Amino acid sequence: MLVFCLLAVLALGVCLTGTAAADAGDATAANATASATQDGETLQLTKRLHLTPDRPGQIEVTARFDDPDNLVELETQVPARATVIDTDGFSGSGGGYAWDGRTDAPSLTYRLPVNETRETEGPLAGRGDYTFVDAGEWAIVRTPQVGVSWSWRGGNVTLDRRTTVDGEGVASEAMAFLGPHSEYTRRANGQRFRLIVPAAASLAESRSRIFESMTAASDTLQVGARDASVFMIAAPTTSVEWSVQGLQTGGDSFWVQDDQGLQVPDNVWLHEYVHTRQDYDRNDGTRWFTEASATYYAALLSLEQDRIGFSAFRSRLRAGDVRSDPGEVLAAPSTWSGRTPYLKGALVAGELDRQIRLAADGRRLQTVFRRMNAAEEPLTAAAFEDIVTDVAGREVGRLADRYTTTDATPSMWSRTEHLRAFEGAAPRIEYAFAPASERFRVAGPYRNGSLDAGQPVELATGESLSLDVLVENTGDAAGEFEAAFAVDGRRLDEQAGSLDPDEQRRLTFSHTFDEPGTYTLTAGTRTVEVAVRGPSPPAVVDLQANASRVTAGDVVELTARLGNDATIPAAGTLTLYRNDTVVSTREVVVGPGSEQEITFAIEPPAGTHRFRLGNATATVTVDAPPTERDGTGSTGTTANGPGFGAPAVVLAVIVVALAGRRRRT
């Protein structure tokens, strides 16, 4: 069976997959992801990025493939601007590079220009042109992508791609920093925030304040699409003039100029974080919402975090009325200037949020945002209006249509109007683990039942973990929740619903772990670490026989005491030997930190026998049974030694007499 898979990994991080089968029985090729998730073999692609200070503006990239035994063909394509400088096991073929089929771990190395520039207009525009740059001693670059196609025989071969940095540096799937730096982390609400501070950077805000703002926003934004990890770089500003004050790309990664503060309505840290929570498929009719919602929520969250006052918040949104150009239509990008979604778009987003709050108790623009993220089809202007109508009613839906499909612009609201809409009843959705005794349950080939465990939760391969999380509305208005369940950032399940004030619901999520490793599970905003490894063989502590000497035909009972000092079950096959001959096998499971006994019933033949189970032994002597009496009434010999019949007695007397005579002589 021959299977062919084509993966085109574009610079924007979009993956396209296709399959071609040699016959109808061929398997379907798997999507390539950041980690292999299906059974079968793995084609490991490791990209190593290397800073080249003597060549500012470009880096070196080595793409190495660790190939499984059943790989048949492998081709790769480097970025269009790349210059290949070395190959091992690859040769040029039709614009790409083909594997020779013989070289283990083939690789190719290329130089890649990484500087990117663009002209930017709007409130978040910078003073320069760069969006990505190699400054010589350091670089902020897009993570290079390569195209890969491969074919195989037999079981599936899936692609696992990883990016590392030679020397100092760190990379996500979308963005990388090369050069000396420090990395700081904070966990909250099921997310791990990674802050990369280059040695060349000087933060205008303390790390703790940045983390506080990010984690508060993570908690407040109940819109779904929480990435397991958020990758943030503080971009140095001493030697580079950037085109924008911040840039997000690839879902979970962004950089922000190191001189950006938090006490402003245009809080760039919050703006870029909001972008990481946008997971909808837009078209021209809803493209405005991307920058509009990020701008609006950056200002609103700064207000709610007490980083700015209402006057600054009002002044920022009011710019959408007083500074917008006539004729701008949000659903028609051809009518925009570069600042339209940041100005008019932000004001429209805010006005819709206010109107939704007034019309639908407990609902907000976040409710619309969450449903946009959950939509399976590209969002048109009409689809946006339908969502708003469903959330807040026909009247607010008409406002959404008017403000997005015409050049009508709302006016900024007053402080009193703000208090009425934003400071009234509101839901607050919170997640917590169930009580410790009810939190975890384990099922599988070794054990079934509740699991009173700390972190990390330790499991054996093949076991399933069920996790119970409590979701509660602690606010004073009804609200909706959307709890995603993810393993290492890969979403596997989702539960959604609505809760009245003070209502609580128990959610259960389960996953089976077939491979050893360390995993991060996220349920709602709660996170748990799980360590998985294969069960070890049970230890035989002692082996005892019920008697050390028996007669042939008797049954010997051998009792083994088994122990397991590990924190996961021990399991395996134990073999009982008699003088190196296998006499019995037993499949056993011993619970974590416990002992148990097993018994073997053996009927051994006459002789002395050494029984062995694991490293424990026991010796048993088996006597031959007495023989039957013959017709004269005499008995035969026994297994214990020679008998004494009449001839033997006579012989003994003669020997004694001769001995006496010799002494007299």
Side-chain angles (χ1 to χ4, degrees), residues 148-455:
V148 184
S149 62
W150 69 100
S151 62
W152 66 90
R153 295 187 185 277
N156 280 347
V157 173
T158 56
L159 182 69
D160 179 23
R161 46 189 167 86
R162 299 174 185 171
T163 303
T164 62
V165 177
D166 279 345
E168 294 184 278
V170 61
S172 72
E173 289 186 45
M175 192 178 293
F177 176 80
L178 284 67
H181 69 285
S182 298
E183 179 174 349
Y184 307 91
T185 61
R186 178 79 61 87
R187 288 187 180 274
N189 310 308
Q191 295 191 287
R192 177 173 176 249
F193 293 86
R194 303 173 63 192
L195 176 60
I196 312 303
V197 182
S202 180
L203 286 173
E205 296 282 355
S206 68
R207 299 188 303 272
S208 62
R209 289 172 67 88
I210 292 172
F211 279 132
E212 287 169 3
S213 187
M214 296 297 99
T215 57
S218 171
D219 179 51
T220 300
L221 286 177
Q222 302 285 329
V223 298
R226 276 192 179 93
D227 294 299
S229 179
V230 180
F231 185 80
M232 311 179 293
I233 303 174
T237 53
T238 53
S239 59
V240 173
E241 291 192 342
W242 299 96
S243 172
V244 288
Q245 296 173 17
L247 181 69
Q248 176 268 343
T249 186
D252 64 352
S253 303
F254 63 84
W255 61 256
V256 173
Q257 291 187 25
D258 61 1
D259 59 0
Q260 291 300 304
L262 300 171
Q263 320 299 319
V264 290
D266 281 318
N267 183 328
V268 184
W269 292 97
L270 287 175
H271 183 105
E272 303 306 333
Y273 173 71
V274 174
H275 279 317
T276 71
R277 304 294 298 276
Q278 296 167 337
D279 194 33
Y280 48 84
D281 188 359
R282 67 192 183 189
N283 74 356
D284 281 351
T286 50
R287 197 199 322 168
W288 67 274
F289 190 82
T290 300
E291 293 300 339
S293 60
T295 302
Y296 167 64
Y297 279 115
L300 179 65
L301 294 173
S302 294
L303 175 65
E304 293 179 344
Q305 293 176 14
D306 293 326
R307 302 186 187 280
I308 61 173
F310 180 77
S311 60
F313 171 77
R314 185 174 188 273
S315 177
R316 174 61 186 86
L317 292 191
R318 186 170 178 268
D321 182 12
V322 300
R323 293 173 54 192
S324 292
D325 297 326
E328 293 178 335
V329 178
L330 294 179
S334 61
T335 67
W336 297 359
S337 69
R339 60 188 186 179
T340 300
Y342 299 90
L343 298 181
K344 179 179 179 179
L347 176 59
V348 168
E351 176 63 8
L352 291 178
D353 192 13
R354 187 176 76 90
Q355 294 294 343
I356 292 170
R357 290 169 184 255
L358 292 172
D361 189 26
R363 295 188 173 186
R364 298 167 285 174
L365 184 64
Q366 285 193 43
T367 313
V368 174
F369 196 162
R370 181 168 59 249
R371 295 193 184 185
M372 292 173 67
N373 279 340
E376 297 180 355
E377 300 294 333
L379 288 166
T380 63
F384 179 78
E385 179 190 350
D386 288 343
I387 293 175
V388 174
T389 299
D390 187 56
V391 167
R394 186 173 300 277
E395 183 176 345
V396 182
R398 290 195 187 100
L399 282 178
D401 178 62
R402 178 168 179 254
Y403 290 142
T404 59
T405 63
T406 75
D407 64 354
T409 302
S411 298
M412 181 58 197
W413 56 92
S414 67
R415 181 189 298 271
T416 300
E417 291 171 320
H418 185 86
L419 291 174
R420 179 177 170 226
F422 288 80
E423 302 297 329
R428 181 172 181 80
I429 305 299
E430 296 184 350
Y431 295 87
F433 284 126
S437 60
E438 308 170 11
R439 186 173 304 168
F440 303 118
R441 291 179 302 283
V442 63
Y446 314 118
R447 53 182 171 169
N448 293 278
S450 60
L451 185 64
D452 189 1
Q455 290 204 40

Side-chain angles (χ1 to χ4, degrees), residues 332-643:
S334 61
T335 67
W336 297 359
S337 69
R339 60 188 186 179
T340 300
Y342 299 90
L343 298 181
K344 179 179 179 179
L347 176 59
V348 168
E351 176 63 8
L352 291 178
D353 192 13
R354 187 176 76 90
Q355 294 294 343
I356 292 170
R357 290 169 184 255
L358 292 172
D361 189 26
R363 295 188 173 186
R364 298 167 285 174
L365 184 64
Q366 285 193 43
T367 313
V368 174
F369 196 162
R370 181 168 59 249
R371 295 193 184 185
M372 292 173 67
N373 279 340
E376 297 180 355
E377 300 294 333
L379 288 166
T380 63
F384 179 78
E385 179 190 350
D386 288 343
I387 293 175
V388 174
T389 299
D390 187 56
V391 167
R394 186 173 300 277
E395 183 176 345
V396 182
R398 290 195 187 100
L399 282 178
D401 178 62
R402 178 168 179 254
Y403 290 142
T404 59
T405 63
T406 75
D407 64 354
T409 302
S411 298
M412 181 58 197
W413 56 92
S414 67
R415 181 189 298 271
T416 300
E417 291 171 320
H418 185 86
L419 291 174
R420 179 177 170 226
F422 288 80
E423 302 297 329
R428 181 172 181 80
I429 305 299
E430 296 184 350
Y431 295 87
F433 284 126
S437 60
E438 308 170 11
R439 186 173 304 168
F440 303 118
R441 291 179 302 283
V442 63
Y446 314 118
R447 53 182 171 169
N448 293 278
S450 60
L451 185 64
D452 189 1
Q455 290 204 40
V457 177
E458 296 184 276
L459 300 177
T461 50
E463 291 189 315
S464 297
L465 180 69
S466 293
L467 167 65
D468 278 13
V469 172
L470 304 177
V471 56
E472 183 177 8
N473 182 0
T474 60
D476 46 14
E480 297 179 342
F481 70 88
E482 181 184 89
F485 177 66
V487 177
D488 288 341
R490 183 167 58 93
R491 183 174 296 199
L492 302 178
D493 192 11
E494 184 177 282
Q495 297 186 40
S498 60
L499 295 172
D500 291 330
D502 298 323
E503 184 181 359
Q504 185 185 83
R505 191 173 302 173
R506 182 185 292 258
L507 309 178
T508 300
F509 300 97
S510 300
H511 183 66
T512 301
F513 297 88
D514 294 321
E515 298 294 333
T518 301
Y519 301 86
T520 300
L521 274 62
T522 303
T525 62
R526 312 308 296 177
T527 298
V528 61
E529 300 294 326
V530 178
V532 181
R533 64 182 187 274
S536 57
V540 181
V541 179
D542 189 29
L543 181 65
Q544 295 286 339
N546 63 334
S548 61
R549 195 179 197 97
V550 297
T551 301
D554 292 342
V555 174
V556 176
E557 289 189 355
L558 295 165
T559 300
R561 184 160 55 94
L562 311 180
N564 177 19
D565 294 332
T567 52
I568 62 171
T573 302
L574 290 178
T575 302
L576 178 67
Y577 293 88
R578 176 176 57 82
N579 301 331
D580 298 325
T581 299
V582 175
V583 293
S584 183
T585 60
R586 189 77 57 84
E587 296 290 335
V588 297
V589 175
V590 183
S594 64
E595 291 187 348
Q596 72 178 58
E597 291 185 347
I598 59 173
T599 300
F600 298 87
I602 306 295
E603 187 177 332
T608 298
H609 305 287
R610 180 176 179 268
F611 293 93
R612 176 170 57 86
L613 186 71
N615 293 323
T617 62
T619 301
V620 177
T621 299
V622 181
D623 296 329
T627 60
E628 296 293 332
R629 291 181 178 272
D630 58 24
T632 64
S634 63
T635 59
T637 60
T638 69
N640 291 327

